[in-house]
Amino acid sequence: MSAPPLALNLANLLLRPGFASRRSPDRAFDRLAASAGPVDPVFSAEFRFLLRHWARDEHLTPVGWWSAQGHVRRHLENRARVRRLIAEHPAIAEEPIERPVFVVGLPRTATTLTHGVLSLSEQHRCPRLWELLTPDLQGTPARRKRAIGAARMMVGAINLFSPRYRDIHPMTAEGPDECTFALPHTIMPLSQARIPEYRARHHARDFTADYAYLKQIYQVLQYGRPRRRWVLKSPLHTENLDALLSVFPDATIVWTHRDPAAVVPSFCSLIEHGMALTLDPLDLRELGATWLELLSRSMARGLAARAVIPRAALIDVPYSWLGSDPAAGAPKLYEAVGARWTDADAARLPEVADRPRGTRPHRYDLARYGLTRDQVEEAFADYNALRAEVDRP
């Protein structure tokens, strides 16, 4: 990568005085918890554990520590708000989340494009980034404006500190985004720091409670508003389909597919550009080994869960459907999920299918991360066998 942007260097300089609190992560957590409001003890203890071990990465930058605290603060505040809202409005817990669609698959397999295409229909309800960052009831225009403003600031900071990130994974505060921001426990903290203790706990975790909480978030976002079919997305669902389906038993799973030899370096490049904000220096070979293991483990778990998903509830989407020709693939996608593709949807397709103005092509290769095609093919041998069947005409 090129030298860090001046804005990132300046941010690290300005945040350095607060960096000393990393040496007392429990005290830092106590301050965050006090301002967030009451949450259940188990949830609180899990995030205390995360922040405590996050602070131990010796390569963490001041921006990285600020980001870690922001991550924990947001989840504590959201948990407290959701609990309070359900206590004040018990009917929230009765809101039906019926026949939701979940877009899953490895990252960089056109999950974002697939989700975006499905978001075009007026019959579908896709959560916006600002809603996922601050789930709440409809509220006043002023409160909505504050939530959107906070999301815009987050996106703006990412684009300012890592200008290439927008070329790889463009985000907008008001655009549809993924459940990753709402789920309390995912592997995404590992995209900001090396946290082996959290990684081990993550691998041993039962995620059923996380998906029950995710359902509560969508119940909050639905309460008092028109009911439409939820269309949701995250590549990180792939490793937890068993927990997801235990909470959303009537879900339709839309599974996107692409060659892992392209997926792995593309995703490593995305992680590199994000992690460059939070760690200094970066070990790219360690990054490659870590994410090859995490992604292949996720796929192995997904394949195991896939074996018991009813065929009628599973839709396979080859990369060619939307990656090559969205205009031809979008109607097929809508037909597969039981939705109607309209002329109005077709007219809006460029909104989600075209590359944002000013972005550049994304180039990547396995060797940069110390990986070879043979390693990737070995790690994803079972998945490649499935993909061959999916791609067969």
Side-chain angles (χ1 to χ4, degrees):
M1 291 183 65
S2 57
L6 178 61
L8 179 59
N9 289 332
L10 180 59
N12 276 316
L13 182 64
L14 293 174
L15 292 170
R16 186 158 293 281
F19 194 40
S21 65
R22 184 180 67 139
R23 293 194 291 268
S24 304
D26 282 333
R27 191 178 303 167
F29 179 85
D30 289 338
R31 288 196 298 269
L32 298 173
S35 65
V39 301
D40 35 309
V42 172
F43 192 90
S44 178
E46 288 169 337
F47 276 90
R48 181 185 294 276
F49 174 91
L50 172 59
L51 190 66
R52 181 184 296 159
H53 291 284
W54 201 326
R56 292 181 179 177
D57 190 331
E58 69 273 19
H59 293 165
L60 203 64
T61 65
V63 165
W65 177 234
W66 172 75
S67 178
Q69 293 176 90
H71 176 92
V72 170
R73 178 190 299 110
R74 176 168 62 81
H75 281 289
L76 292 176
E77 289 176 349
N78 287 345
R79 181 73 161 199
R81 186 185 315 105
V82 168
R83 282 164 52 87
R84 174 177 56 77
L85 290 172
I86 293 176
E88 293 173 354
H89 308 278
I92 290 174
E94 304 303 318
E95 283 288 329
I97 307 297
E98 296 177 331
R99 300 173 50 248
V101 174
F102 283 87
V103 179
V104 308
L106 289 170
R108 315 303 296 167
T109 58
T111 56
T112 298
L113 177 56
T114 302
H115 190 224
V117 169
L118 289 170
S119 77
L120 296 173
S121 173
E122 294 296 331
Q123 303 304 309
H124 294 161
R125 172 74 159 96
C126 297
R128 307 293 154 170
L129 176 59
W130 69 270
E131 294 180 302
L132 293 163
L133 293 174
T134 315
D136 204 343
L137 300 184
Q138 189 153 355
T140 64
R143 194 160 65 185
R144 174 190 172 104
K145 184 177 179 180
R146 284 195 300 272
I148 293 174
R152 286 176 176 170
M153 286 183 62
M154 187 197 82
V155 173
I158 293 172
N159 292 339
L160 179 65
F161 295 158
S162 181
R164 282 287 284 153
Y165 197 93
R166 180 173 176 266
D167 298 332
I168 304 170
H169 183 65
M171 300 167 62
T172 61
E174 289 125 309
D177 223 302
E178 58 189 54
C179 306
T180 306
F181 292 102
L183 276 168
H185 301 289
T186 71
I187 57 175
M188 290 321 292
L190 303 178
S191 71
Q192 297 192 49
R194 300 165 304 167
I195 320 173
E197 300 86 355
Y198 177 77
R199 181 173 171 177
R201 181 172 286 200
H202 178 89
H203 288 347
R205 184 175 182 81
D206 179 352
F207 284 86
T208 305
D210 294 80
Y211 281 89
Y213 173 53
L214 182 68
K215 181 179 179 180
Q216 289 181 330
I217 287 175
Y218 292 129
Q219 288 173 316
V220 165
L221 292 176
Q222 180 172 279
Y223 183 69
R225 306 173 200 183
R227 292 177 182 171
R228 292 177 286 164
R229 190 182 189 188
W230 283 96
V231 176
L232 309 165
K233 169 249 178 177
S234 175
L236 305 189
H237 290 319
T238 308
E239 69 171 331
N240 297 315
L241 290 176
D242 51 350
L244 185 158
L245 290 167
S246 72
V247 175
F248 301 96
D250 60 346
T252 295
I253 304 299
V254 173
W255 192 317
T256 58
H257 298 277
R258 188 185 183 190
D259 183 356
V263 165
V264 171
S266 178
F267 191 63
C268 285
S269 176
L270 177 67
I271 296 296
E272 177 189 352
H273 283 83
M275 193 174 268
L277 309 185
T278 59
L279 295 185
D280 186 23
L282 279 182
D283 183 332
L284 296 185
R285 296 182 70 88
E286 180 184 44
L287 186 157
T290 294
W291 286 96
L292 178 63
E293 192 277 329
L294 289 172
L295 293 176
S296 60
R297 178 184 181 276
S298 171
M299 181 52 66
R301 287 176 53 84
L303 292 176
R306 178 190 172 98
V308 297
I309 298 175
R311 192 67 191 89
L314 181 63
I315 298 164
D316 289 308
V317 179
Y319 190 75
S320 59
W321 272 26
L322 295 174
S324 301
D325 188 359
K332 291 193 292 185
L333 175 63
Y334 268 59
E335 181 181 7
V337 300
R340 189 168 64 92
W341 179 251
T342 68
D343 291 342
D345 299 329
R348 294 178 57 204
L349 182 60
E351 296 176 16
V352 297
D354 290 354
R355 177 179 290 275
R357 183 178 299 176
T359 57
R360 294 175 289 171
H362 179 207
R363 295 182 175 85
Y364 43 84
D365 65 90
L366 283 166
R368 179 172 177 81
Y369 306 101
L371 300 173
T372 66
R373 186 178 186 97
D374 286 346
Q375 286 177 293
V376 174
E377 290 187 347
E378 180 180 0
F380 289 95
D382 290 342
Y383 172 61
N384 278 331
L386 167 67
R387 196 170 57 84
E389 295 180 16
V390 169
D391 288 341
R392 187 176 298 128

